[in-house]
Amino acid sequence: MNVSPSASRIESIDRNYSRSESFLDANSVPEQGCLSIVVLGASGDLAKKKTFPALFNLYRQGFLQPSEVHIFGYARTKISDDDLRDRIRRHLVHGKEASSSHSEDVEKFLQLIKYVSGSYDDEGGFRLLDKEISEHEVAKNSQEGSSRRLFYLALPPSVYPSVCKMIRYHCMNRSDLGGWTRVVVEKPFGKDLSSAEELSLQLGELFNEKQIYRIDHYLGKELVQNLLVLRFANRLFLPLWNRDNIDNIQIVFREDFGTEGRGGYFDEYGIIRDIIQNHLLQVLCLVAMEKPVSLKPEYIRDEKVKVLKSVLPVEDDEVVLGQYEGYRDDPTVADNSNTPTFATVILRIHNERWEGVPFILKAGKALNSRKAEVRVQFKDVPGDIFKSKKLGRNELVIRLQPSEAMYTKLTVKKPGLEMSTIQSEMDLSYGMRYQGVTIPEAYERLILDTIRGDQQHFVRRDELKVAWEIFTPLLHRIDDGKLKPLPYKPGSRGPVEADELLAKAGYVQTHGYIWIPPTL
């Protein structure tokens, strides 16, 4: 759909953003006018299960003040304000939390939500949305143009261009009095390099990079956010974090369930696009990057891009694909689907720090456990006088979910009169160490970062491009049927060939040791 706004209006908008975005401090929310948060796709599952609950938790903790914030839902569904509130309510209250005070907070929060119905390429719908936002801003006594507008696209990427065009031409702040408009877009950002670049080009013609927040919720996880602190604030790890001491690094994502009703969606993307190319690759960047000049977002993102540019092309003999038995029984999945539900991919970083160290990215569905973790395996002790090599190597394990923890596997003397050794651990389990502390959900942190204007935990355009350059050739070989997934039984570790690939890469599995989260 072609839209031709006046040149003067676009000029005014551009002038507004060149001035208003330049002075934002990422560590504080600017003292500006009221805040309007618009959730597009408000009637969908993502909005109901993630976006609105995250907003509610920010509200409960005082980060969203009722005196200045208002929330708008926008979708095609013809429902009333109360209908949307009813749909959201049950996702905000969980079991023991349903106390009278909690219920009161829920009702107060729901009253901040207003619903606007319209299609995603309709000028009329977005003009109505702009009218509702403007009326709220006037009611909050905000000076024109000083308000903040955050648009969260809980939508499929296919409608991003039309929605962003409508926002750009009909819902932006109109003056240069310090207000801003920011757009949060969800993954997947394309299906390969060309589609991602096309999407970036379309969004880049409408907004500048400081206005676009490409959200990857893994970057909001507590233990992922701790990676930079662990690496660069502790003298202990600085001399060890290199190819001289580390043999291999695994970054793992495992689910103990299958596609469960999402077969049609998942079959379009597969486990590499869905998990490895974004979530696990983001974690790899934080594990492998050099120390940035400072914690300013651009310096951190510069170092992430440098790492990605150093990744060598993926070789077919360092990839194992799998598809669990029964996956094709889903009526929404093609009978001859070649889509992998499991993948182990070895990436190699060609630089001074990591030359020769395999980074093993492993993800799968319908496996024997549910977890996400980083496993740093150190080299064998030279001249091992205790003959303890058979017990296993030292490992630093950073468990991202569930039961967040960091623990180091060590060889120690077994208690008793004999000089024999066993493997044990030094353990920082968050549930034990930080009792009574609620770890925030990733979406809470990232939405708050968007309000603050901190882009550290969001994906920059050039970073997205390099990430797709790494995986697109492999994905095209899979799409063309040149690489086939191996069958594996649900509830297993995946194809046995994956464990063989790990052993070939140098990973030594510890037998007889199981980490058990400590309890009170």
Side-chain angles (χ1 to χ4, degrees):
M1 178 174 183
N2 294 322
V3 182
S4 301
S6 68
S8 60
R9 174 170 174 166
I10 294 299
E11 237 176 67
S12 171
I13 292 170
D14 287 336
R15 187 170 61 251
N16 179 19
Y17 286 97
S18 65
R19 295 178 58 176
S20 66
E21 291 283 350
S22 61
F23 63 84
L24 291 176
D25 178 2
N27 295 314
S28 63
V29 178
E31 293 296 330
Q32 292 180 301
C34 66
L35 172 63
S36 299
I37 299 175
V38 182
V39 181
L40 296 117
S43 59
D45 276 355
L46 175 62
K48 290 185 294 186
K49 295 178 180 178
K50 295 295 183 182
T51 315
F52 283 114
L55 292 172
F56 173 64
N57 288 330
L58 290 174
Y59 167 80
R60 286 196 77 199
Q61 297 171 71
F63 290 105
L64 299 180
Q65 293 293 328
S67 60
E68 64 176 18
V69 71
H70 207 73
I71 300 168
F72 298 86
Y74 185 94
R76 291 175 294 201
T77 311
K78 301 287 186 181
I79 56 175
S80 66
D81 294 350
D82 286 337
D83 289 335
L84 179 62
R85 292 165 184 160
D86 289 341
R87 293 185 181 196
I88 295 168
R89 182 180 283 105
R90 64 188 178 91
H91 296 288
L92 307 182
V93 182
H94 303 284
K96 296 177 181 178
E97 294 180 346
S99 62
S100 58
S101 62
H102 187 89
S103 297
E104 186 177 335
D105 287 339
V106 167
E107 295 310 315
K108 288 180 179 178
F109 171 76
L110 291 174
Q111 291 309 307
L112 298 176
I113 298 175
K114 184 173 183 61
Y115 183 73
V116 178
S117 175
S119 68
Y120 297 124
D121 59 356
D122 175 40
E123 293 182 31
F126 280 86
R127 285 197 180 107
L128 177 59
L129 176 61
D130 181 66
K131 179 175 177 289
E132 295 287 352
I133 296 173
S134 298
E135 288 178 357
H136 158 65
E137 292 169 347
V138 170
K140 295 292 185 181
N141 297 317
S142 284
Q143 190 175 3
E144 184 181 3
S146 68
S147 59
R148 296 164 283 164
R149 297 185 178 188
L150 190 163
F151 293 85
Y152 194 108
L153 275 60
L155 295 165
S158 58
V159 299
Y160 287 173
S162 61
V163 169
C164 287
K165 189 178 292 185
M166 292 298 108
I167 293 170
R168 170 68 171 170
Y169 295 152
H170 302 294
C171 294
M172 304 281 279
N173 277 331
R174 295 181 179 82
S175 72
D176 56 0
L177 298 179
W180 50 252
T181 300
R182 294 177 185 147
V183 178
V184 178
V185 293
E186 278 272 359
K187 78 168 188 75
F189 315 116
K191 291 186 66 177
D192 56 13
L193 178 60
S194 61
S195 59
E197 278 291 275
E198 182 181 357
L199 185 59
S200 291
L201 180 63
Q202 291 171 322
L203 269 58
E205 290 175 344
L206 299 167
F207 304 106
N208 63 49
E209 190 64 23
K210 289 184 178 180
Q211 295 168 273
I212 302 172
Y213 288 71
R214 300 174 190 86
I215 192 169
D216 184 330
H217 76 271
Y218 252 59
L219 290 176
K221 289 185 176 295
E222 182 68 32
L223 269 295
V224 174
Q225 298 225 327
N226 208 350
L227 283 170
L228 293 189
V229 179
L230 182 72
R231 286 193 55 198
F232 301 125
N234 293 285
R235 185 69 178 85
L236 171 67
F237 294 113
L238 291 178
L240 299 179
W241 214 259
N242 54 49
R243 62 190 177 94
D244 296 329
N245 299 286
I246 293 174
D247 186 88
N248 60 81
I249 296 176
Q250 278 195 70
I251 305 173
V252 178
F253 173 93
R254 303 167 67 91
E255 287 182 333
D256 55 3
F257 53 89
T259 53
E260 295 192 346
R262 296 176 65 244
Y265 166 83
F266 183 85
D267 199 59
E268 187 180 350
Y269 292 96
I271 198 71
I272 295 178
R273 289 183 175 96
D274 195 40
I275 301 295
I276 293 179
Q277 186 273 340
N278 43 75
H279 296 335
L280 301 194
L281 197 61
Q282 286 294 320
V283 176
L284 178 145
C285 289
L286 298 174
V287 170
M289 64 184 269
E290 298 298 320
K291 183 188 289 187
V293 175
S294 76
L295 291 178
K296 287 185 177 179
E298 292 313 303
Y299 291 141
I300 292 174
R301 299 203 292 180
D302 285 346
E303 295 301 335
K304 289 167 66 180
V305 171
K306 288 180 186 177
V307 169
L308 294 177
K309 287 183 176 179
S310 300
V311 175
L312 296 171
V314 181
E315 301 291 340
D316 287 356
D317 62 354
E318 295 198 312
V319 176
V320 171
L321 306 176
Q323 186 184 90
Y324 68 83
E325 295 173 2
Y327 170 72
R328 299 181 192 175
D329 295 342
D330 186 323
T332 62
V333 173
D335 292 340
N336 60 346
S337 172
N338 197 53
T339 301
T341 61
F342 172 98
T344 295
V345 180
I346 296 177
L347 297 186
R348 298 187 180 272
I349 300 174
H350 182 57
N351 65 18
E352 184 178 1
R353 182 181 294 272
W354 298 116
E355 187 75 46
V357 178
F359 282 75
I360 304 162
L361 276 55
K362 181 177 179 180
K365 290 182 172 292
L367 298 175
N368 60 348
S369 64
R370 172 183 171 263
K371 67 179 179 180
E373 66 182 20
V374 179
R375 185 172 294 267
V376 180
Q377 186 169 90
F378 292 90
K379 293 187 174 183
D380 292 323
V381 175
D384 178 17
I385 61 174
F386 294 102
K387 311 300 181 186
S388 57
K389 183 177 179 180
K390 65 180 182 297
L391 295 176
R393 292 168 166 171
N394 294 150
E395 291 182 351
L396 171 64
V397 181
I398 303 162
R399 191 178 178 100
L400 309 180
Q401 68 179 34
S403 305
E404 292 90 346
M406 292 186 287
Y407 62 95
T408 304
K409 290 169 59 176
L410 301 172
T411 299
V412 299
K413 179 184 176 297
K414 186 176 181 179
L417 295 176
E418 299 296 327
M419 179 53 76
S420 58
T421 57
I422 59 171
Q423 272 218 329
S424 189
E425 72 280 323
M426 291 195 298
D427 194 330
L428 168 58
S429 289
Y430 275 51
M432 188 79 168
R433 179 65 179 85
Y434 304 112
Q435 296 174 36
V437 176
T438 301
I439 296 178
E441 287 290 330
Y443 281 95
E444 295 172 39
R445 192 189 312 273
L446 295 177
I447 289 173
L448 186 59
D449 282 349
T450 306
I451 296 170
R452 289 172 167 170
D454 184 349
Q455 290 186 308
Q456 174 181 331
H457 304 113
F458 295 84
V459 182
R460 200 168 65 187
R461 180 174 176 174
D462 58 339
E463 180 184 346
L464 178 64
K465 180 176 184 290
V466 183
W468 277 118
E469 286 175 346
I470 294 169
F471 281 100
T472 292
L474 171 63
L475 289 167
H476 283 177
R477 293 197 293 274
I478 297 170
D479 293 342
D480 294 341
K482 295 176 181 176
L483 288 177
K484 300 284 187 180
L486 302 166
Y488 64 94
K489 293 187 179 301
S492 68
R493 286 177 51 85
V496 294
E497 289 84 351
D499 286 336
E500 293 169 0
L501 178 61
L502 262 63
K504 179 183 173 184
Y507 173 70
V508 176
Q509 187 173 354
T510 303
H511 296 283
Y513 169 89
I514 299 175
W515 176 72
I516 301 174
T519 57
L520 291 174

